[in-house]
Amino acid sequence: MTTPHRRRTLAGAVTAVVLAATTTFGGTPAPVAAANTLSMRGADVSSLQRSLDLGAKYHDANGVARDPLDILKSVGVNYVRLRVWNNPASGYNNKSRVLAQARTAKAKGLKVLIDFHYSDTWASGKQYKPAAWSGHSLSQLRNDVYAFTYDVCAALRGQGTMPDSVQIGNEINVGMLWNEGKVVNNDFGPLAGLLKQGYNAVKACGGGIPVMIHTANADSNANARWFYDGIRAQGVQWDMTALSYYCMWHGSLANLYDNIVDLHGRYGKPVVIVETAYPFTRDDADGQPNVIGDATCDGISATWAGQAQEFDWVQNTARNAGAIGVFYWEPTWYAVPGNGWDPANINGTGNGWDNMALFDWFGRVNPGVRWTP
């Protein structure tokens, strides 16, 4: 998840050129004639188990109560993304919970992307070390990353739910495990050592597991090149380039298109949008202010129809640019009391994402949303 920053101005004229090849403005997106296919059609459902444990109900487009993963699968999802925190106060998104979620997803025929944050809480705008690693040197942190990554991956393998892909870090625009792993004065060496250990641990667990390195640099090709050039120069290996794209923070679809094309060509690795979302309302369901309030993009309203349209446009843009996957971030996280934003106070905080989920405040799915190959 991306920390909000100032909203970008959309490059309307250029956006129209890209979208003209992918959509019909003001209506249902048109079919796309493109050689590329979105083989990874994903949903980050990391908060879902907590919602279900609290009694949340989910309903399909016909109003029938069903398992939320079955609902998502019926509209095109073939992958789930699960974040791993080291020792969160909430007791959720830790190793044992992720093992259980992976079993559930795999039993339904879904693939699993494991998202290591290397933190006890959100790692995006800030990259806080886990409390257990707080006094560790850079050398110790390299060992920590290897051991923790291998342990979680091996446990998944041991229960017959081998990860289908793994992220080493979450939105690590300027590094992870701060301050030791932060990029300062263009020195990528410390970060590179951590990433290499994570990569090696995944490959030791399963040599065929693709490793992603994830930044929120969909808005800036210059920043993306700076980061990926920097780690490449240090000998870091990765198999997929992962980006977050939220239009209200990361700019136009035309810019996204150009960035995907450049990164794919420059590094020769598949590109995946591992986070995107759009509001279905500006209203707030609880006392927690919405992360995204009034911001909308591309002239699209904050309605069910608008949410579905923007998601189609993101998929079309990614597909035409050569990306292989798009994940919606936390589609099932509607406003369920007790499933709060702060893992250290999960009962006492609300949900800042309730207007961005694909299920409304009564657990009814947006009938227009589809993941398409």
Side-chain angles (χ1 to χ4, degrees), residues 89-172:
S90 65
Y92 283 80
N93 304 126
N94 57 17
K95 174 185 170 182
S96 63
R97 296 285 185 175
V98 167
L99 288 171
Q101 285 182 286
R103 285 196 299 270
T104 299
K106 289 278 193 171
K108 292 182 178 296
L110 295 166
K111 294 184 177 182
V112 174
L113 164 59
I114 300 297
D115 174 15
F116 283 94
H117 282 225
Y118 302 116
S119 180
D120 296 331
T121 187
W122 301 105
S124 51
K126 299 290 185 180
Q127 299 280 336
Y128 298 113
K129 289 191 291 291
W133 302 356
S134 61
H136 289 193
S137 66
L138 181 61
S139 177
Q140 290 173 306
L141 289 172
R142 288 195 292 265
N143 293 333
D144 292 333
V145 168
Y146 187 98
F148 184 70
T149 306
Y150 184 83
D151 178 60
V152 173
C153 184
L156 287 162
R157 181 186 64 194
Q159 69 173 14
T161 59
M162 182 75 89
D164 297 283
S165 50
V166 169
Q167 269 184 235
I168 302 302
N170 186 79
E171 293 189 337
I172 56 171

Side-chain angles (χ1 to χ4, degrees), residues 48 51-52 56-60 64-66 68 71 332 334 359 363:
L48 176 58
S51 292
L52 291 172
K57 302 298 181 185
Y58 293 85
H59 304 268
D60 65 19
V64 177
R66 296 174 60 193
I71 296 172
T332 59
Y334 74 91
F359 293 81

Side-chain angles (χ1 to χ4, degrees), residues 7 35 59 138 141 147 154 182 193 219 222 261 267 273 278 281 322-323 340 354 368:
R7 184 181 177 190
H59 304 268
L138 181 61
L141 289 172
K182 190 172 186 178
D219 59 326
V261 170
Y267 305 108
I273 306 302
Y278 197 76
T281 180
D354 53 53

Side-chain angles (χ1 to χ4, degrees), residues 22 29-32 36-42 72 75-78 308 311-319 323-326 368-373:
T22 59
V32 179
N36 192 52
T37 301
L38 296 179
S39 57
M40 301 176 74
R41 302 181 297 281
L72 291 173
V75 295
V77 168
N78 67 353
F311 186 50
D312 278 348
W313 285 10
V314 171
Q315 290 182 88
N316 289 344
T317 302
R319 181 189 300 108
I324 65 165
V326 174
V369 167
R370 297 289 184 277
W371 281 256
T372 55

Side-chain angles (χ1 to χ4, degrees), residues 174 182-190 226-227 229-231 233-234:
V174 290
K182 190 172 186 178
V183 180
V184 178
N185 296 326
N186 296 313
D187 181 6
F188 282 86
W226 171 81
F227 179 88
D229 281 359
I231 62 172
Q234 292 288 331

Side-chain angles (χ1 to χ4, degrees), residues 184-204:
V184 178
N185 296 326
N186 296 313
D187 181 6
F188 282 86
L191 173 62
L194 298 170
L195 294 175
K196 289 175 183 178
Q197 289 294 82
Y199 182 91
N200 290 341
V202 174
K203 297 302 183 179

